């Protein structure tokens, strides 16, 4: 989450504390930890490093994996849009709905359902009462559907692939309130230096549900100081408990359908991670992570795996710096970096370019959702001109780029030219539940088991304590009991100062040039990191010999992956099967010189939460399973 909304949090916490079951003091603690304090932000801006924006969230896609029998080194041949077209979509179904789907093909609603592989699923779907002449056709189509959208469970001689005497202490066998098999999962603390257990990072590791792959995809949330358990539990893990959900549910678009996923709470000072905060730069944080990751690989018996680094928001700084540190190791046995992905990222001078320069056009284009009156809109438009933002856009928002952009000036918080904050304050008056991270949010504030559903920290009575702060959850996940977990904590930098350069100046070009597999994406409903601002940052970056994109992004991103979350709900309400498919054009993409750009429609800051099918496609591209979005 960004610092500006965090200051807004501080301004409104006192009011909302009366309505929340979390104490006012607790809310203030969480609010201050969601991003940097105002004083810190001012220091960061003076140093030219900007401030943070981070808040990650929920859902992802499960379409995908294999029509044949791919090896650990070859990509699945059945996945994504190809999967949807591989067979009649009438026979697609999610794992959650598979039992009822199968029941529709048999006269015996009580037919046994045993999810032990597609062959068994197909046999169950046929049932003894199905007419003999159609049994082979039904079994074939159901098996195809299951194989394509729900990967065939795989086994290894010892059971779970990564379970051994060294990893057994980290195995998680069940989680409170997750009322289904969680599969192969590990979590706990691993030291940065094995000789010094006092500094350690907390992780969750879920190996793929599909055929074994020799790769690890790493996910970071932002902040700085925001927990990657948010991504694990509300975005792209095997199961999710997102905003407004009554309980955890199976995630049909989990990234573990495609790859082994590692979520890490880092830097030190984040979540359950422990130790003294010593880092003053992204370079130091990257070295800490590289040391942790090497120890992780040794414990789990991993070597010669491809590595993909992903994340969102302030992780737009973590991902490039950590990726560059891996490249600098020149060690393909342990650090074979093969691609990277960043959502709504802090890659440039985002406090100026992504917040202020691009604020007014965003407000004007989306005011039907924000609701500012005409006179105030006119005031902001005049400020856009007098503060120089309109001229900046006219000169530098061009394809190909007009040239290197000047050093971003300082815009003091709540000053006359702080259009982003002024508009947010005005929006709060109209809609107390306004959410900078997803501007379509309306009252009531959504329920959130992690306690931060909008700009405001808020928990309903039935969701206290926060899920990861429950003693039984800590015990199940081997988490340190002495830590009071919150979604965002900190500080994570010594003296609260990040001294590193913006990633576009060196490390991000280095990663693009080394892998030619980097995806940067922004969501169109995000007022924290604005889409046009991220494009402006790209237009100020030189990679593979040229500055910026030469052509303006314009290729439609058409999503034909079926709806695996709510398909059965439509059917139950009398709609035809696959009535709501295909999803259609959900963004714009563009590729030049190793960098893929993806603008995502109808999504807020946390893209895997809001548009899981689009995010699933993004990951497929990063992993090399597809060549176009």
């Amino acid at each position: 989450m960004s610092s500006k909304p965090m200051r807004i949090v501080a301004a409104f916490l006192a009011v909302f504390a009366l309505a929340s079951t979390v104490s006012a003091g607790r809310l203030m603690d969480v609010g201050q930890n969601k991003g940097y304090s105002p004083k810190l932000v001012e220091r960061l801006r003076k140093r030219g490093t900007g401030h943070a924006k981070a808040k990650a969230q929920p859902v992802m896609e499960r379409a995908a994996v294999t029509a044949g029998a791919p090896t650990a080194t070859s990509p699945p041949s059945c996945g994504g849009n190809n999967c949807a077209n591989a067979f009649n979509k009438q026979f697609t179904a999610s794992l959650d709905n598979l039992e009822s789907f199968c029941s529709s093909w048999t006269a015996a609603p009580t037919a046994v359902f045993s999810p032990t592989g597609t062959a068994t699923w197909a046999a169950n779907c046929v049932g003894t009462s199905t007419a003999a002449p159609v049994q082979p056709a039904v079994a074939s189509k159901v098996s195809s559907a299951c194989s394509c959208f729900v990967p065939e469970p795989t086994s290894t001689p010892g059971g779970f692939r990564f379970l051994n005497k060294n990893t057994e202490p980290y195995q998680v066998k069940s989680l409170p309130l997750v009322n289904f098999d969680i599969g192969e999962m590990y979590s706990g603390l691993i030291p940065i230096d094995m000789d010094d257990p006092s500094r350690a990072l907390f992780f969750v590791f879920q190996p793929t549900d599909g055929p074994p792959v020799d790769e690890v995809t790493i996910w970071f949330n932002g902040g700085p100081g925001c927990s990657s358990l948010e991504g694990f539990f509300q975005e792209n893990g095997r199961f999710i408990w997102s905003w407004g959900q009554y309980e955890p549910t199976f995630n049909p678009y989990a990234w573990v359908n495609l790859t082994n996923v590692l979520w890490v709470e880092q830097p030190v000072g984040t979540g359950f991670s422990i130790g003294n905060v010593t880092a003053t730069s992204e370079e130091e944080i990257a070295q800490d992570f590289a040391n942790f990751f090497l120890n992780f690989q040794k414990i789990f018996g991993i070597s010669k795996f491809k590595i993909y680094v992903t994340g969102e928001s302030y992780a737009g700084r973590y991902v490039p710096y950590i990726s560059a540190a891996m490249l600098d190791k020149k060690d393909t046995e342990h650090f074979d970096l093969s691609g990277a992905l960043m959502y709504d990222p802090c890659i440039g001078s985002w406090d100026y370019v992504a917040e202020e320069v691009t604020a007014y056009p965003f407000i004007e284009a989306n005011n039907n959702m924000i609701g500012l009156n005409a006179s105030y809109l006119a005031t902001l438009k005049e400020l856009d001109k007098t503060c120089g933002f309109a001229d900046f856009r006219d000169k530098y928002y061009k394809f190909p780029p007009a040239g290197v952009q000047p050093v971003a000036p300082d815009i003091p918080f709540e000053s006359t030219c702080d259009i982003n904050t002024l508009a947010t304050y005005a929006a709060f008056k109209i809609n107390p539940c306004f959410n900078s991270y997803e501007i379509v949010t309306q009252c009531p504030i959504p329920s959130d088991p992690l306690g931060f559903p909008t700009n405001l920290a808020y928990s309903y009575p039935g969701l206290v304590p926060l899920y990861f702060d429950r003693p039984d959850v800590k015990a199940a996940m081997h988490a340190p009991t002495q830590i009071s977990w919150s979604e965002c904590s900190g500080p994570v930098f010594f003296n609260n100062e990040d001294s590193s350069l913006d990633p576009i100046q060196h490390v991000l070009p280095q990663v693009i040039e080394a892998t030619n597999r980097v995806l940067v994406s922004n969501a169109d409903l995000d007022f924290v990191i604005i889409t046009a601002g991220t494009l402006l940052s790209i237009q100020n970056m030189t990679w593979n010999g040229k500055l910026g994109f030469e052509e303006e992004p314009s290729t439609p991103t058409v999503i034909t992956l079926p709806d695996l979350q709510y398909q059965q709900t439509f059917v139950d309400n009398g709609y035809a099967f696959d009535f709501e498919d295909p999803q259609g054009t959900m963004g714009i993409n563009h590729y030049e010189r190793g960098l893929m750009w993806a603008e995502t429609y109808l999504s807020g800051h946390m893209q895997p939460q809001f548009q899981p099918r689009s995010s699933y496609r993004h990951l497929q591209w990063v992993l090399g399973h597809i060549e176009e979005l």
Side-chain angles (χ1 to χ4, degrees), residues 59-60 62 94-97 149-151 178-183 209 237-241 245 247-254 256-257 564-565:
V59 256
M60 280 313 252
R62 174 190 258 285
S94 69
L95 180 60
D96 283 341
N97 299 330
F149 285 94
V150 185
V178 179
N179 298 317
F180 43 82
D181 185 356
I182 65 172
D209 284 336
R238 183 176 284 119
F239 40 84
I240 51 172
W241 191 349
Q245 288 186 226
E247 61 185 358
T249 58
F250 184 85
N251 181 6
Y253 301 113
V256 295
N257 297 340
L564 302 180
Q565 290 178 289

Side-chain angles (χ1 to χ4, degrees), residues 98-113 124-130:
L98 189 56
E99 184 169 7
S100 59
F101 171 74
C102 289
S103 296
S104 70
W105 285 95
T106 174
T110 57
V112 177
F113 176 75
N124 291 336
C125 287
V126 172
T128 57
S129 61
T130 302

Side-chain angles (χ1 to χ4, degrees), residues 525-539:
L525 299 180
D526 185 2
F527 192 40
V528 175
I529 298 290
I530 299 171
T531 297
T534 301
L535 273 173
L536 269 170
S537 293
I538 290 174
Q539 293 306 88

Side-chain angles (χ1 to χ4, degrees), residues 46 48 115 162 269 278 334 505 560 579:
K46 289 175 182 177
F162 295 97
T278 61
H334 299 105
Q505 297 185 44
T560 60
F579 166 83

Side-chain angles (χ1 to χ4, degrees), residues 90 99 114 157-158 248 322 375 399 407 420 443 532 545 548 551 599 628:
Q90 179 182 0
E99 184 169 7
S114 177
I322 288 172
S375 62
F399 302 86
V407 176
N420 193 295
C443 292
E551 297 180 13
E599 174 184 351
E628 297 179 351

Side-chain angles (χ1 to χ4, degrees), residues 194-226:
M194 295 303 285
D195 293 329
D196 179 13
S198 69
R199 297 185 78 243
L201 301 182
F202 189 83
F203 75 94
V204 172
F205 180 49
Q206 287 185 329
T208 181
D209 284 336
V213 290
D214 290 346
E215 62 193 30
V216 175
T217 298
I218 301 162
W219 172 269
F220 302 124
N221 282 97
C226 290

